[in-house]
Amino acid sequence: MHKILYSFLQKNSQYQFGFRKNYSTSLALIEVVDSIIKYLDDSDTVVGIYLDLQKAFGTVNHEILLAKMKNYGIRGEIYNWFASYLRNRKQFTAIGNNGSEVNEIKCGVPQISVLGPLLFLIYVNDIHNAIPEVNIKLFADDTNIFIHSRDSIRSSQKTNLCLKQINEWFIANKLSLSLDKTCYTVVSKSNVNQLSIQLNGTDIKRVNSCRYLWVIIDCELKWKEHIEYIYKKLIKYSSIFYKLRNKLPSSCLRSIYYAFDHPHVFYGIELYANTFTT
């Protein structure tokens, strides 16, 4: 069923990187950074909003999900199969010999199943309808908005309006935005200090850098923080390699390197590797 649904969605999804074959987190990062650089070349200011959802996978409403599946064209026996799969699930908690009452699960996707993440992607895939004129980037439950404008006051107004609209979409879909963890960055060729970003009277925190898809994007696109982060990761293993260098054959050392060091260096290298000469 996963193969059938995945194949169908590949042909019917344009906004969700997490759906599609050959669309990786690296590709999503490259597209985001390329868009920011393009806007900067046009002398625009770019506001990046990094949204954080509370327990996103656990708050998916089953009836809303099924309605969206029907809208995507999943009908008939396949639709009935998924309705049966989601409804009438029950759970209880047991500690030792003590158990709770058995209650029906009315929301959330089964996260331990192969279908769970895919069903969540269907649930959020239409989020672009909330603000169709704005560039929304989706990768599973990572949702980010990038707004560009020549004027800082206009940027502020546009950003606040977009936040309001997307929050209304979250409320309509019974998802909750964590304002404490939601933040924004400002990327600009000039100093921009006059931004007031709020949602429901709460100020959204402005930061100089933010981790997006496991890469730290800073507001100057210099990648110093990300390189420092990688360096601290790698330095932990240097003493281990030093102690092992005469105790293991080179093939084993090579395997250890590719297991622990190489993934940190290689991931996102398309973005940060040409920042410095070494």
Side-chain angles (χ1 to χ4, degrees):
M1 187 59 76
H2 181 278
K3 289 179 180 177
I4 294 170
L5 184 61
Y6 187 91
S7 176
F8 176 80
L9 293 172
Q10 273 191 302
K11 301 173 183 177
N12 292 275
S13 175
Q14 299 177 355
Y15 301 93
Q16 173 62 258
F17 276 85
F19 264 145
R20 303 155 71 185
K21 190 176 181 180
N22 300 323
Y23 278 69
S24 64
T25 53
S26 294
L27 188 59
L29 281 163
I30 290 168
E31 183 172 305
V32 164
V33 174
D34 279 351
S35 297
I36 293 173
I37 292 172
K38 177 182 177 296
Y39 297 143
L40 288 177
D41 288 342
D42 293 335
S43 299
D44 283 6
T45 293
V46 183
V47 179
I49 307 174
Y50 300 87
L51 303 169
D52 186 271
L53 294 174
Q54 295 179 351
K55 300 178 180 178
F57 280 74
T59 55
V60 169
N61 182 277
H62 291 169
E63 298 309 314
I64 293 175
L65 172 58
L66 288 168
K68 291 187 179 189
M69 294 179 77
K70 185 172 284 187
N71 286 337
Y72 279 123
I74 301 167
R75 296 167 188 155
E77 289 301 314
I78 301 294
Y79 173 87
N80 294 336
W81 188 92
F82 275 105
S84 173
Y85 177 75
L86 290 169
R87 290 171 178 157
N88 299 318
R89 285 182 170 269
K90 294 178 172 60
Q91 69 178 16
F92 70 96
T93 300
I95 302 176
N97 295 323
N98 300 311
S100 69
E101 294 181 359
V102 177
N103 286 310
E104 185 178 349
I105 305 171
K106 296 182 179 179
C107 63
V109 293
Q111 294 183 50
I112 60 170
S113 73
V114 69
L115 282 173
L118 199 54
L119 291 174
F120 178 79
L121 299 182
I122 295 173
Y123 197 77
V124 299
N125 192 56
D126 64 336
I127 194 172
H128 63 275
N129 291 330
I131 40 176
E133 73 281 0
V134 172
N135 193 5
I136 299 180
K137 299 297 181 184
L138 290 175
F139 199 104
D141 58 340
D142 281 305
T143 306
N144 303 276
I145 307 170
F146 295 91
I147 298 163
H148 62 98
S149 179
R150 295 280 175 91
D151 179 77
S152 60
I153 296 176
R154 171 63 180 154
S155 293
S156 217
Q157 294 172 341
K158 193 174 179 180
T159 302
N160 282 309
L161 177 60
C162 289
L163 263 179
K164 180 177 179 293
Q165 290 173 327
I166 202 165
N167 189 55
E168 289 173 351
W169 184 92
F170 287 138
I171 292 170
N173 287 274
K174 301 187 184 300
L175 296 172
S176 298
L177 190 61
S178 175
L179 295 181
D180 292 338
K181 296 180 180 178
T182 295
C183 59
Y184 75 95
T185 58
V186 179
V187 185
S188 178
K189 291 183 177 180
S190 58
N191 292 328
V192 178
N193 298 316
Q194 299 179 356
L195 289 185
S196 176
I197 310 302
Q198 294 182 331
L199 181 61
N200 298 330
T202 301
D203 290 328
I204 304 299
K205 181 171 62 176
R206 178 174 174 175
V207 296
N208 291 323
S209 62
C210 186
R211 189 187 306 278
Y212 174 58
L213 298 178
W214 308 286
V215 169
I216 300 173
I217 301 177
D218 61 276
C219 60
E220 295 181 337
L221 298 182
K222 291 185 176 179
W223 309 103
K224 287 183 179 180
E225 287 187 55
H226 183 69
I227 292 170
E228 184 67 20
Y229 168 77
I230 294 173
Y231 169 75
K232 288 179 179 178
K233 283 278 187 182
L234 299 182
I235 204 69
K236 294 178 182 179
Y237 300 109
S238 62
S239 60
I240 297 174
F241 279 106
Y242 181 80
K243 292 174 182 177
L244 293 177
R245 71 192 191 283
N246 296 321
K247 298 182 183 295
L248 294 175
S250 58
S251 59
C252 289
L253 292 172
R254 182 181 177 87
S255 296
I256 293 171
Y257 164 77
Y258 276 104
F260 293 101
D261 278 19
H262 188 74
H264 292 296
V265 176
F266 189 74
Y267 182 69
I269 199 167
E270 305 92 339
L271 300 173
Y272 76 82
N274 64 347
T275 310
F276 298 96
T277 55
T278 60

